[in-house]
């Protein structure tokens, strides 16, 4: 996660409720596949089973923003509290208490699953008419959103696309909403959407979205992809509005901002990939996907975060998967306002920081946050050299006031709302730079890899001893003297 210039890692996030139709599409976490019998509904063949996501500022300011970067996706986000007002039923399967209720649940899964199968096939076949045939003809606004979604998917290098019915809640729709939908039946289901970007993703991305179904005149349709969202429920970027897509040698930029120059971000990201590979090595995929939201709310939707959680974070690296898994697709998500203000050089620092997280699989790594963020800043500031006084301004100010860090930054210091956020990033960066100056960059990389690969709870301590030949306490003492010397104390 970048504090304005860095990477943002959100290791899982949270969202808000929404009623009405916007541009989102179906997605949901995995669940058991309900067993269903093959039947026909409104002329549709239903498969036997279905189962379950401008103004530039001085470089010094950009550096401060970088220091607040992080990563998200497979770890618990530092501080994005759940929405206390969000509904909790949307992701919890309805528990049937009678044979009749169980049978009805199976029937709904079968009928809804058939609609989802037709949607998936239409996307893979590139058939707009077949896709729109699954959309409620009376949901005028939603049909416009569906057209946008289908067009967006056509712009992406989709290698695979699948929608799976996960669960439903017959009480999720209010009587007023059901009356407005009309038809003989309507209900809200949670649906898992998985898609893979060919050439970029080793595994499919997965998310969960609520889909409203309505049956009228014997045929079941999708009537909304955004009926209600619960805390932590993310939304696919291609479901938030019209997108522009730019492709580079090593990057894919997906922009929701029609005024952004996506091509310029492609070239900057390609350079970031090269800078990271020079330090980390080339034993990684060397492909990066960047999301450019047009509004901060869109960034929060993609991350599944509470409003204003990332107001001081320039970018976030997240794993686009609802459950932890090595090889999950990783995305860099920019904060539109801050990213725009950084200017060309600041954006280069942030993109290099975030790309370091992608290369080092930080979203699924046991490395402590100080090492993940400090290493990412070390790589970024190696690619774009900056003066210590600018890059460590807040830390030096604290040290000169007699507040020398007593230990390496704790995880909570990297929370987006932490008052110690700037000092946490700056001190972590200088801890990694000290290792590189003391032992060489290759030894810093070896140290990081040793901690990353360890399956032991003492992995960090073991790496300090085996790679650096010292204990963490000995290192901290040397680091404290290093910081004081740099601050001129």
């Amino acid at each position: 996660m970048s504090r304005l210039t860095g990477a943002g890692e959100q290791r899982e996030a949270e969202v808000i409720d929404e009623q009405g139709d916007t541009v989102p599409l179906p997605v949901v976490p995995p669940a058991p596949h309900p067993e269903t019998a093959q039947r026909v509904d409104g002329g549709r063949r239903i498969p036997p089973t279905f189962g379950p996501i401008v103004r530039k500022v001085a470089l010094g300011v950009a550096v401060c923003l970088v220091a607040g970067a992080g990563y998200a996706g497979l770890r618990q986000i530092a501080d994005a509290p759940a929405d206390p007002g969000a509904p909790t039923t949307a992701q919890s399967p309805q528990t049937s208490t009678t044979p009749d209720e169980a049978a009805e649940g199976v029937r709904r899964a079968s009928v809804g699953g058939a609609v989802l199968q037709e949607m998936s096939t239409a996307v893979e076949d590139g058939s707009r008419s077949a896709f729109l045939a699954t959309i409620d003809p009376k949901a005028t606004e939603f049909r416009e959103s569906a057209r946008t979604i289908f067009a967006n998917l056509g712009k992406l290098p989709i290698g695979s696309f699948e929608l799976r019915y996960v669960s439903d809640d017959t009480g999720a729709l209010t009587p007023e909403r059901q009356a407005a939908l009309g038809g003989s039946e309507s209900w809200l289901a949670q649906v898992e959407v998985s898609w893979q970007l060919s050439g970029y993703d080793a595994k499919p991305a997965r998310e969960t979205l609520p889909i409203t179904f309505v049956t009228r005149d014997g045929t079941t349709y999708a009537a909304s992809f955004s009926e209600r969202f619960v805390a932590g429920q993310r939304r696919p970027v291609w479901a938030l509005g019209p997108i522009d897509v730019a492709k580079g040698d090593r990057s894919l930029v997906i922009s929701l901002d029609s005024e952004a120059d996506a091509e310029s971000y492609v070239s900057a990201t390609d350079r970031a990939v090269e800078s990271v590979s020079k330090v980390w090595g080339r034993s990684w995929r060397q492909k990066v996907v960047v999301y450019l939201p047009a509004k901060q709310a869109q960034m929060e939707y993609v991350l599944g975060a509470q409003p204003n959680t990332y107001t001081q974070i320039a970018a976030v690296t997240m794993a686009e998967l609802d459950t932890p898994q090595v090889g999950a697709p990783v995305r860099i998500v920019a904060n539109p306002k801050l990213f725009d203000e950084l200017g060309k050089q600041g954006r280069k620092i942030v993109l290099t920081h975030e790309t370091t997280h992608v290369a080092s699989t930080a979203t699924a790594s046991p490395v402590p946050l100080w090492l993940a963020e400090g290493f990412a800043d070390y790589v970024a500031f190696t690619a774009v050299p900056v003066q210590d006084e600018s890059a460590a301004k807040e830390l030096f100010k604290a040290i000169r006031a007699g507040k020398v860090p007593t230990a390496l930054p704790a995880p909570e210091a990297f929370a987006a709302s932490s008052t110690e956020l700037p000092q946490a990033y700056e001190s972590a960066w200088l801890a990694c730079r000290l290792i590189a100056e003391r032992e060489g960059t290759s030894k810093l990389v070896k140290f990081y890899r040793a901690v990353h690969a360890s399956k032991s709870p003492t992995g960090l301590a073991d790496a300090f001893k085996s790679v650096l030949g010292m204990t963490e306490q000995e290192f901290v003492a040397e680091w404290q003297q290093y910081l004081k010397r740099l601050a001129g104390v």
Side-chain angles (χ1 to χ4, degrees):
M1 180 172 65
S2 298
R3 211 189 28 167
L4 242 64
T5 40
E9 281 121 9
Q10 163 200 356
R11 309 171 174 187
E12 284 184 1
E14 298 152 290
V15 190
I16 49 180
D17 264 72
E18 177 184 314
Q19 288 197 333
D21 296 318
T22 55
V23 188
L25 182 68
V27 196
V28 177
H33 296 259
E35 296 182 0
T36 62
Q38 190 173 42
R39 60 185 292 273
V40 175
D41 173 68
R44 293 197 179 96
R45 186 101 162 126
I46 301 177
T49 60
F50 289 93
I53 95 126
V54 226
R55 187 167 55 87
K56 296 185 179 179
V57 298
L59 178 59
V61 177
V63 169
C64 288
L65 299 183
V66 178
Y71 45 96
L74 298 186
R75 302 186 182 187
Q76 184 65 37
I77 182 170
D79 72 337
D83 181 358
T88 57
T89 57
Q91 296 199 57
S92 302
Q94 180 91 349
T95 301
S96 296
T97 57
T98 69
D100 286 346
E101 289 176 342
E104 281 299 292
V106 170
R107 181 188 61 79
R108 286 191 302 271
S110 178
V111 172
V115 178
L116 300 179
Q117 182 60 54
E118 289 191 10
M119 282 185 180
S120 300
T121 300
V123 169
E124 292 189 333
D125 292 346
S127 176
R128 181 172 179 270
S129 60
F131 186 81
L132 293 178
T134 66
I135 307 301
D136 182 11
K138 294 192 175 183
T140 307
E141 291 185 16
F142 177 56
R143 288 185 70 83
E144 287 304 310
S145 295
R147 289 187 181 93
T148 299
I149 288 169
F150 185 82
N152 286 346
L153 291 170
K155 296 176 183 179
L156 296 172
I158 298 291
S160 64
F161 186 86
E162 183 181 3
L163 298 168
R164 295 195 297 162
Y165 196 105
V166 179
S167 63
D168 60 40
D169 182 354
T170 56
L173 300 180
T174 65
E176 293 76 16
R177 174 58 171 154
Q178 289 182 318
L181 285 167
S184 58
E185 182 182 30
S186 59
W187 72 95
L188 179 69
Q190 293 296 317
V191 175
E192 179 190 79
V193 59
S194 65
W195 73 97
Q196 189 167 7
L197 299 179
S198 182
Y200 298 89
D201 297 340
K203 296 180 179 179
R206 288 191 178 88
E207 293 186 15
T208 297
L209 283 183
I211 294 186
T212 300
F213 291 98
V214 61
T215 301
R216 61 178 83 258
D217 301 324
T219 302
T220 298
Y221 303 96
S224 171
F225 289 165
S226 58
E227 194 74 31
R228 293 176 68 140
F229 285 87
V230 299
Q233 200 162 1
R234 295 177 288 114
R235 314 185 194 189
V237 67
W238 40 260
L240 296 177
I243 63 172
D244 291 323
V245 178
K247 183 179 180 182
D249 293 334
R250 297 289 179 183
S251 61
L252 184 72
V253 176
I254 302 170
S255 176
L256 285 159
D257 186 353
S258 59
E259 297 182 2
D261 181 4
E263 292 292 343
S264 68
Y265 287 94
V266 161
S267 58
T269 307
D270 280 352
R271 289 194 295 272
V273 170
E274 183 58 30
S275 295
V276 171
S277 294
K278 286 180 180 178
V279 177
W280 182 253
R282 301 188 181 278
S283 58
W284 64 290
R285 199 170 183 84
Q286 297 190 79
K287 292 290 185 72
V288 174
V289 177
V290 179
Y291 289 167
L292 296 179
K295 308 171 185 176
Q296 179 155 330
Q298 291 175 335
M299 177 189 186
E300 292 158 354
Y301 290 159
V302 168
L303 297 175
Q306 282 295 306
N308 303 317
T309 299
Y310 291 102
T311 53
Q312 297 303 310
I313 300 298
V316 175
T317 298
M318 74 159 189
E320 200 155 36
L321 204 62
D322 281 332
T323 54
Q325 187 178 113
V326 175
V330 177
R331 318 296 191 212
I332 295 173
V333 186
N335 181 326
K337 182 178 183 297
L338 297 183
F339 218 61
D340 186 55
E341 291 178 344
L342 288 177
K344 186 177 294 185
Q345 194 169 14
R347 286 195 292 269
K348 182 178 179 181
I349 293 173
V350 174
L351 286 170
T352 305
H353 176 119
E354 299 296 339
T355 299
T356 302
H357 287 318
V358 177
S360 59
T361 60
T363 56
S365 174
V367 297
L369 276 173
W370 73 262
L371 180 55
E373 297 298 349
F375 180 68
D377 269 354
Y378 172 78
V379 178
F381 293 146
T382 297
V384 184
V386 296
Q387 293 183 344
D388 290 354
E389 198 62 43
S390 294
K393 179 180 179 181
E394 297 301 319
L395 176 62
F396 288 172
K397 184 189 300 184
I399 292 174
R400 289 163 186 159
K403 298 178 182 178
V404 180
T406 58
L408 293 164
E412 55 269 21
F414 294 94
S417 61
S418 171
T419 57
E420 301 176 359
L421 185 64
Q423 296 95 315
Y425 274 92
E426 293 163 10
S427 58
W429 161 54
L430 290 174
C432 288
R433 196 179 78 174
L434 172 60
I435 295 173
E437 289 181 359
R438 183 179 184 271
E439 305 286 348
T441 297
S442 61
K443 189 65 72 72
L444 170 61
V445 173
K446 183 178 180 180
F447 176 72
Y448 189 108
R449 289 182 182 274
V451 180
H452 172 76
S454 177
K455 293 181 173 28
S456 168
T458 60
L460 179 63
D462 296 342
F464 266 115
K465 203 69 177 172
S466 64
V467 179
L468 302 183
M470 62 196 320
T471 65
E472 181 175 344
Q473 291 70 28
E474 290 171 334
F475 175 77
V476 168
E478 185 174 330
W479 170 66
Q480 289 173 319
Q481 294 303 313
Y482 179 68
L483 296 181
K484 289 194 287 186
R485 186 169 70 254
L486 292 175
V489 174

